[in-house]
Amino acid sequence: MAEAAEGAGVSRRRVLGYGAAGLGLGAVRTRHVAAAGRGGRRVAVFGAGVAGLTAAHELAERGFEVTVYERRSVPGGKARSLYVPHSGTGGRRGLPGEHGHRGVFGFYHNLPDTLRRIPLAGGGTVHGNLAAVTRVEYARSGGRGSVTVPQRPWTPSLSDAGLLIASLAGTLEETFGLTPRESLFFARQLVILFTSCRERLFGQWEYVSWWDHIRAGRMSPEYQKLLGGGVQLIQALRPTTASARTCGQGFEAVLYAVTGRGTDGPADGVFDGPTSEAWIDPWVAHLRSLGVRFAYGRSVERLETAAGHVVRATARTARGGTERVDADWFVAAVPSDRAIRLWDGALRAADQRLAAMDGLQQTWCSGIQFFLRRPAEVVAGHVAHIDSPWKLVSIGQSKLWRAPFARTWGDGRAQESLSVDVSDWDTPGILYGRPARQCTRAEVAREVWAQMRAHLGASVLPDSLLHSWYLDEAITEGGDGLRNDDPYLLNSAGSWDLRPEAVTAVGNLFLAGDWVRTYSNVDFTSMETANEAGRRAAAGVLAAAGGPDRAEVRTFKGYEAPEFALAKEVDKERWRLGLPHLLDTGR
């Protein structure tokens, strides 16, 4: 455990988990491995989301006997497709809904590796089912002009901090019309994060919110809207609460993606069909071919411990009964809010990291799909609705799908799927004056449609265009408003301290999920971090099981610009001396 130095405005903070292992990038080490478990090959994975399926994939390839227990009747977790009941006619499949549109970004490295290892029945791999998104539109309401940005290579100089700041500031001025002063200030705050050493990132910037770091409270309403929350592509990175460290690493990863540095694919990509059809179904078929068993309708309720390891688990079945789960190794790959309920007194006493999870926060981000009678005149890419109070991001996803929509899904009258992520459920809307949480499902649909029309225009989205809509099935109506069965981990300032490692102090218990500490170039809630966490859990099982040599489970480190290396070394020395970052003058 390391501690930050005091002085120059830097508060003393503990950097939990930062040590000789290089923030977890070294070899996986296990502790308190139960002798009875060594050599055992039976693994119980609880949760069939991206993290659980990843762990099962890695372990099955290495000869383990894996059973995946999932509380629902289908796999995929938040990544699965949600088909509208009774909507398919004439041999067509049901209209495809989604929890949210799936983005596979160029700075992802762990997930693309998995996609390349999932074969398709007709040849090739799932990775071939990705389609590049070539344009992003920043739409404004009230008659203000929208800006469409092509996703083309950009080559700013990274070798000189001043030139990089000027280049970033110029781009902000040209694209969004921000003032030179605010553009330069924001660019400088970004470069401070890009060139901070790891000790400062985890010892200082982890405890400062993004909103405070970019001084949004002192800036113009346009600055606040555009840079302090309007372009909220990921709800887990809510600007007022997310740490400057996490947001800075995200912006740095995007910078590398748009400049083509260290990328694994296009800067922005989506699947060329419904997620379950393009990815999850082939994945499950491949796992079954490797011997993985799936037990659906099982929700883990209890982990029973003795002598420092889990001896058995209890799962609730779909019919309300209970089922005993026996295994040598246990992987908890359920969402963070459900994982916390599993940690009884014995587990919390055995590993304080589990008890610390009580402080984690969850938030809402769910998808709604509008099925259209004819294709809408919108870009074939993401649209950020800057002025929408509910922080909407949409995409005419079926424009990028391989199969013809009307002939493949629905009743033949719906010709397009417009998918929308709703990222703010707490701010009043423009139609009913209530936050999404306090609306009915139908009111949410009408409100989202109204907010999009305010940005794109009634001529682009006339009411006559709408065939039907489908809101994420996790959103249900209750007596006191809406409820969400699938919340996300909220990456808040200081939350790194509350997140556990994939390897626990309980000898045969391992953790996988986007709430587990990950060490690639990003650690916010995403399919990439879920995949990395699944890999780290599998690596922990592999190390603890011992036995014959098996290929190690790889995790991929994100790209780091060599031009920033010297600046980070300088900052590391300044951190050691208790001095602020060289660019952090406070002016």
Side-chain angles (χ1 to χ4, degrees):
M1 184 180 297
E3 290 190 350
E6 291 187 68
V10 180
S11 61
R12 179 174 291 272
R13 297 285 192 180
R14 290 186 174 185
V15 189
L16 298 179
Y18 184 94
L23 282 172
L25 292 171
V28 175
R29 295 176 295 180
T30 57
R31 296 159 289 177
H32 309 302
V33 178
R38 293 192 63 86
R41 299 174 63 242
R42 300 174 305 159
V43 183
V45 177
F46 299 112
V50 173
L53 295 179
T54 300
H57 191 163
E58 299 293 342
L59 291 169
E61 283 189 340
R62 290 159 179 81
F64 286 85
E65 300 172 5
V66 182
T67 301
V68 178
Y69 297 84
E70 166 58 40
R71 67 187 177 98
R72 293 190 171 93
S73 59
V74 293
K78 295 184 182 72
R80 75 194 188 283
S81 299
L82 312 166
Y83 293 91
V84 182
H86 315 298
S87 62
T89 63
R92 287 175 289 264
R93 298 190 283 275
L95 288 169
E98 303 272 340
H99 180 80
H101 42 261
R102 310 264 70 83
V104 179
F105 302 105
F107 55 83
Y108 286 7
H109 292 86
N110 292 284
L111 182 62
D113 176 72
T114 295
L115 299 181
R116 289 190 177 94
R117 289 157 48 202
I118 304 172
L120 294 174
T125 69
V126 163
H127 192 271
N129 287 342
L130 289 175
V133 177
T134 59
R135 290 183 291 174
V136 175
E137 179 180 349
Y138 298 94
R140 305 302 301 268
S141 66
R144 285 173 285 186
S146 299
V147 177
T148 300
V149 181
Q151 297 280 59
R152 58 182 178 225
W154 180 46
T155 55
S157 172
L158 304 185
S159 58
D160 182 277
L163 289 176
L164 178 57
I165 290 172
S167 181
L168 291 169
T171 300
L172 289 172
E173 287 183 57
E174 180 181 353
T175 304
F176 298 115
L178 290 176
T179 67
R181 182 184 71 85
E182 291 185 333
S183 297
L184 281 169
F185 180 81
F186 178 80
R188 189 192 71 173
Q189 295 304 96
L190 269 186
V191 174
I192 286 175
L193 296 173
F194 295 170
T195 55
S196 287
C197 64
R198 288 190 179 276
E199 290 82 357
R200 189 182 302 279
L201 286 173
F202 283 84
Q204 180 181 359
W205 302 131
E206 168 64 18
Y207 302 96
V208 177
S209 74
W210 174 250
W211 181 270
D212 289 340
H213 179 69
I214 66 172
R215 310 289 198 275
R218 307 178 188 176
M219 301 297 184
S220 68
E222 279 294 283
Y223 180 100
Q224 294 175 357
K225 185 167 290 185
L226 289 165
L227 304 176
V231 188
Q232 191 168 317
L233 298 179
I234 301 173
Q235 167 64 3
L237 294 184
R238 187 183 296 175
T240 53
T241 55
S243 75
R245 175 192 69 80
T246 301
C247 290
Q249 287 180 321
F251 270 100
E252 187 175 2
V254 170
L255 173 66
Y256 297 147
V258 298
T259 57
R261 289 189 171 220
T263 57
D264 190 347
D268 185 2
V270 296
F271 288 105
D272 64 0
T275 310
S276 288
E277 296 177 28
W279 174 25
I280 302 300
D281 293 346
W283 198 5
V284 170
H286 179 56
L287 295 183
R288 290 187 188 278
S289 74
L290 295 174
V292 176
R293 296 177 60 252
F294 288 85
Y296 295 116
R298 269 78 167 179
S299 180
V300 60
E301 288 191 335
R302 184 186 178 200
L303 300 175
E304 185 177 337
T305 59
H309 68 287
V310 178
V311 293
R312 67 183 62 85
T314 301
R316 177 72 56 181
T317 67
R319 295 184 176 182
T322 59
E323 184 176 288
R324 171 172 164 162
V325 178
D326 292 306
D328 301 302
W329 313 102
F330 296 83
V331 178
V334 297
S336 59
D337 59 310
R338 295 181 178 275
I340 292 170
R341 302 173 204 169
L342 295 175
W343 313 148
D344 61 13
L347 286 169
R348 291 166 180 264
D351 191 336
Q352 63 175 350
R353 308 283 342 130
L354 303 181
M357 287 180 61
D358 289 343
L360 292 175
Q361 302 175 55
Q362 283 76 37
T363 187
W364 289 22
C365 180
S366 296
I368 182 171
Q369 286 72 46
F370 294 95
F371 303 109
L372 310 180
R373 299 182 187 277
R374 63 182 184 276
E377 295 180 4
V378 297
V379 300
H382 292 105
V383 179
H385 301 262
I386 301 297
D387 303 300
S388 60
W390 288 5
K391 304 295 188 293
L392 307 181
V393 177
S394 65
I395 183 171
Q397 58 184 6
S398 57
K399 294 181 184 294
L400 298 161
W401 288 1
R402 184 176 303 176
F405 192 87
R407 294 205 304 266
T408 309
W409 298 280
D411 60 5
R413 292 179 296 171
Q415 297 187 24
E416 185 168 84
S417 170
L418 182 60
S419 183
V420 190
D421 274 355
V422 182
S423 292
D424 188 330
W425 292 74
D426 301 306
T427 300
I430 65 173
L431 196 60
Y432 297 103
R434 299 195 303 273
R437 289 176 186 259
Q438 296 177 14
C439 293
T440 65
R441 286 171 56 88
E443 288 171 342
V444 168
R446 289 192 287 268
E447 179 76 55
V448 172
W449 184 256
Q451 291 184 30
M452 285 198 300
R453 279 167 54 97
H455 285 75
L456 300 177
S459 61
V460 175
L461 294 179
D463 289 338
S464 61
L465 190 65
L466 184 59
H467 171 279
S468 56
W469 56 268
Y470 187 67
L471 177 62
D472 182 357
E473 65 185 25
I475 304 298
T476 58
E477 295 182 8
D480 54 350
L482 295 178
R483 299 172 184 172
N484 189 349
D485 194 43
D486 272 328
Y488 278 81
L489 171 71
L490 178 65
N491 290 79
S492 55
S495 62
W496 177 263
D497 295 349
L498 308 175
R499 295 167 62 180
E501 301 286 351
V503 177
T504 75
V506 180
N508 60 343
L509 175 63
F510 305 87
L511 311 178
D514 50 23
W515 42 275
V516 172
R517 287 182 176 182
T518 52
Y519 299 91
S520 61
N521 53 345
V522 294
D523 67 355
F524 52 75
T525 302
S526 64
M527 296 186 298
E528 171 73 355
T529 50
N531 183 273
E532 181 185 341
R535 289 167 179 262
R536 292 188 176 277
V541 173
L542 191 66
D549 291 338
R550 298 184 177 96
E552 70 168 327
V553 179
R554 293 186 64 189
T555 54
F556 295 81
K557 183 180 179 182
Y559 178 80
E560 294 186 14
E563 293 93 333
F564 294 158
L566 180 58
K568 291 179 179 180
E569 284 299 317
V570 171
D571 189 54
K572 185 174 182 178
E573 179 61 17
R574 293 181 65 84
W575 173 261
R576 187 185 68 81
L577 295 173
L579 299 173
H581 189 283
L582 196 60
L583 295 175
D584 190 17
T585 62
R587 293 194 296 271

